[in-house]
Amino acid sequence: PFLGPANTLDGCVPLTESELWEVMAEDPFTPMHFCTDINVVGAARKQTAWTTSLEHHNEWRVLIRQGLEKNQVELVDAAKDAMKVVALQDRTKALALRTRAATRMQAELRRRGVAPAVPPPF
């Protein structure tokens, strides 16, 4: 509703998807959470919801920043409420994926007769 043409660096994301994949390839069991604290001059400071989805994070930071810049605080607050629901779903899905991967990894190690040095994170 309040997104307009971006005359700022909104398209310049703090972390690209390819950079995220590089980090995840190094340590796939480390949970990644993203959030942006936004402070626009003349507007209240707002924070995006914490999410495991880089795509959602990048969308939300633009949405919040542009809404604050246009002084549409009520719409920003309503958007934040919706973000909380989606962020919870994102975190739940990410935890389920890590748990499933760890369970499969443990099963494969048992099949090979190798004891894991460190128990996988759940």
Side-chain angles (χ1 to χ4, degrees), residues 58-76:
N58 289 339
E59 291 171 5
W60 295 347
R61 60 185 280 280
V62 172
L63 191 73
I64 296 288
R65 195 207 54 76
Q66 288 188 9
L68 289 176
E69 194 172 79
K70 295 175 182 178
N71 200 29
Q72 296 180 334
V73 178
E74 298 82 21
L75 289 174
V76 168

Side-chain angles (χ1 to χ4, degrees), residues 3 5 7 22 25 32-33 35 40 44 48 55-56 64 69 73 77 86-87 98 109 111 119:
L3 284 178
N7 57 0
E22 285 181 39
M32 300 286 289
H33 292 84
C35 178
V40 174
T48 62
E55 180 182 0
H56 286 150
I64 296 288
E69 194 172 79
V73 178
D77 289 339
V86 174
R98 284 194 312 274
L109 289 172
R111 186 187 72 75

Side-chain angles (χ1 to χ4, degrees), residues 18-116:
S18 62
E19 291 168 334
L20 174 62
W21 281 110
E22 285 181 39
V23 171
M24 290 175 65
E26 288 294 319
D27 192 356
F29 287 108
T30 299
M32 300 286 289
H33 292 84
F34 306 98
C35 178
T36 298
D37 194 3
I38 301 169
N39 190 5
V40 174
V41 176
R45 177 182 153 265
K46 297 286 180 178
Q47 187 179 60
T48 62
W50 285 90
T51 181
T52 54
S53 167
L54 180 62
E55 180 182 0
H56 286 150
H57 166 264
N58 289 339
E59 291 171 5
W60 295 347
R61 60 185 280 280
V62 172
L63 191 73
I64 296 288
R65 195 207 54 76
Q66 288 188 9
L68 289 176
E69 194 172 79
K70 295 175 182 178
N71 200 29
Q72 296 180 334
V73 178
E74 298 82 21
L75 289 174
V76 168
D77 289 339
K80 282 191 60 167
D81 289 341
M83 289 175 196
K84 290 176 188 175
V85 173
V86 174
L88 177 60
Q89 293 169 348
D90 290 342
R91 290 190 304 272
T92 302
K93 288 177 189 174
L95 178 60
L97 182 62
R98 284 194 312 274
T99 301
R100 193 169 48 236
T103 301
R104 288 185 178 177
M105 185 175 72
Q106 278 185 324
E108 179 61 19
L109 289 172
R110 278 194 302 273
R111 186 187 72 75
R112 293 180 184 194
V114 178

